Each structure stands twice: as C-alpha cells, then as structure tokens.
Amino acid sequence: MYGRVKEEGGTFTVTGSGDIAPLGSEGGRTIERSLIGVLAGLIPMIIVSVQFATAEDRQGLIDSSQLTNPRQGRVLATKAVVIGTASFVAGLAATIVAVLLSGKILLINGSQVLPVTPLTELRVIMGTAALLANAAIFVLALAALFQRSFVAVAASFAALVLPYIIANVAPLGMSQWSLRFTPAAGFAIQQSIPEYPQVMSLYLPRLGYYPLSPWAGFAVLCGYTALALGLAVCIFRPSAPPKCWFG
C-alpha cells in the first residue's frame, strides 16, 4: 500500500491506494481447485463399494458365510476396514500427485497459487483421503442396509454426489442447506482459505467456501457413516428370522 498518515487534533487520516485486505479466492487459485476430480472419483468408488458389499449375495455364498461366521457384524466391520483403508491409500496417493503436479503446471503457465500454511495443506491432502475413506464405508453400509445394488448406488449418489452438484449450481440458500445437512458436508475438509469478515465477497461453494468449517463438515459425514454402519449391523434379514447382524 502506498500513501501517508496524517494526525490532526487526535484524528488520523490515511490516504493512498493499494491492498488493505486479503483478496480471498479472487487473488489466485486455491490448492483444492486441483482436487475437482474427487467428485468424479466418487462415482467408481461408489460402484466398487456396493459390489464389495454385495459380493456374497451375488455369488450365492451368503448362507455359507452365515454358517462359518454367525456374527455378521464382524464380517461387515472387516469389510469396512478393508474398503476404508484401500480408499484412503488410493485417495492419498492421487491427492498428493494432483496437488503437486497441478501446482507446478499453474506456476509454469503464470497462474498464482494462493499460499497456505503447511498444516492447512496437510489437512487438505489427508482430509481428502479421509473423505474418500468415510464415503466408501458409508456406501458399504447403505449396500448392507438395502441389500440391492441398484438401490444402494442410487441412494449413495443422492447422498454424496447430488448435494455437491446442487451446491454448485443452485441459489445460495439451497446450496448452503445441501452442504450443511447431507453427507456431502464432508467436502468442507478441502477448504483452504477462510472467509474474511472485513472483506465483502461472494462466499460460494463453487469458489471454495463452505457453510461449515472444515472439521465440522467432516464431522457431519462421519456422523452419517457411523449411523449407517450402526443400522447395518442390526438390520433384519428377510431370508432369516429377524435378528441383529451381531447375532
């Protein structure tokens, strides 16, 4: 900023020109812009998770599985650990490559990448991987609940993908609702720059701003995952007398 300060009678007068507040997302590209492919990655992940959850039913092995391990809650928990770990590792590798590669490409092309603290960058990278892992477990639980692949895929899309799309095309009120009260609130973990109360700007999801703080949004997704998984282990199976999967 260029200018001067003048004091007269206890009053300070500041004159000049320049930046007096952060530019926010208007000052360059945020690091999470390189992770736009996460939404596309959710689609095959949903299908794989559903197929993994219903593999025994499709292969006609559900009865033998019940005989060898009557405590089906343990089977479901094991599947959740497997699919969650696989999704986290794959998501972490893809996120690291995307952030590092896109950052170099943007700098080469003369685009500015907004700087963030190392902890914020770590939270965005690790948080994105954790987002995918939680989403995979959530889908697994839905598949166990509905016992129908098509219904589970449709429900997963409606819970994870559709709210995020709506948030980026709908009016502000609806977009904030869809990212507050649905599992898609977990995308807030990717927000790298805060809202500045002293700056008037458009704080929209498509610009990288979410109605919930990063950890609050992620907690909403974790809550849905825990609820769905808890219900899944206690569902009533139509092919057997009503009982909890924990046996």
Side-chain angles (χ1 to χ4, degrees), residues 1-19:
M1 177 175 177
Y2 300 95
R4 62 188 180 89
V5 179
K6 177 182 178 182
E7 181 185 3
E8 184 175 349
T11 301
F12 291 88
T13 302
V14 180
T15 59
S17 62
D19 295 333

Side-chain angles (χ1 to χ4, degrees), residues 55-199:
E56 292 176 335
D57 288 315
R58 288 184 289 105
Q59 296 175 10
L61 299 177
I62 189 66
D63 292 333
S64 61
S65 175
Q66 288 178 336
L67 291 174
T68 57
N69 191 350
R71 293 186 177 274
Q72 292 298 307
R74 295 180 180 177
V75 176
L76 186 61
T78 301
K79 287 187 175 183
V81 171
V82 171
I83 195 68
T85 302
S87 299
F88 181 84
V89 172
L92 181 62
T95 300
I96 293 174
V97 172
V99 170
L100 296 180
L101 186 60
S102 64
K104 292 182 179 180
I105 293 175
L106 289 173
L107 290 176
I108 291 175
N109 293 330
S111 298
Q112 182 179 359
V113 180
L114 293 177
V116 294
T117 64
L119 285 179
T120 298
E121 186 173 12
L122 180 64
R123 189 251 299 160
V124 171
I125 294 174
M126 299 291 290
T128 299
L131 165 69
L132 292 171
N134 268 272
I137 297 173
F138 176 71
V139 173
L140 179 83
L142 290 184
L145 280 170
F146 294 116
Q147 294 291 304
R148 295 291 184 274
S149 296
F150 176 78
V151 176
V153 170
S156 301
F157 270 80
L160 292 168
V161 179
L162 186 59
Y164 185 83
I165 295 176
I166 291 176
N168 284 272
V169 299
L172 180 60
M174 184 179 296
S175 66
Q176 290 195 339
W177 179 89
S178 65
L179 292 179
R180 281 182 183 272
F181 304 108
T182 70
F187 280 97
I189 196 67
Q190 294 182 328
Q191 181 173 333
S192 63
I193 56 174
E195 297 184 20
Y196 300 100
Q198 74 273 28
V199 179

Side-chain angles (χ1 to χ4, degrees), residues 22-30 111-115 193 209:
L23 289 175
S25 61
E26 298 177 0
R29 291 180 176 269
T30 57
S111 298
Q112 182 179 359
V113 180
L114 293 177
I193 56 174
Y209 300 100

